[in-house]
Amino acid sequence: MQKNVINYLKMLHWVGLSMLLCGVGLYFFTELTQQVTGMMIVASLAGLGMVMMSPFPIALFLQWAQAQNQDQ
């Protein structure tokens, strides 16, 4: 069960990273950010990407802490 959750969070992490990189790429390499809709697209991609990436490191830390607790 726990392994499935980690795999799901890992998949979300990679999807979030790709969304963040897509937003950064649009920001630096297009003129899309000169319009309000473009600003909304770039901000949404970057923001949602970062939100999707955030649970995975926390889950890894909790898994590590639980393993440390079991070793003692």
Side-chain angles (χ1 to χ4, degrees), residues 16-69:
L17 182 64
S18 63
M19 287 176 67
L20 177 63
L21 291 176
C22 185
V24 169
L26 285 174
Y27 178 74
F28 283 118
F29 299 120
T30 63
E31 297 294 321
L32 190 64
T33 55
Q34 301 298 319
Q35 305 160 358
V36 174
T37 55
M39 289 179 204
M40 292 295 294
I41 290 170
V42 170
S44 297
L45 280 172
L48 287 174
M50 286 188 278
V51 166
M52 290 173 71
M53 286 174 53
S54 62
F56 182 63
I58 296 167
L60 284 180
F61 173 76
L62 291 175
Q63 184 181 24
W64 172 80
Q66 188 177 29
Q68 293 296 317
N69 208 14

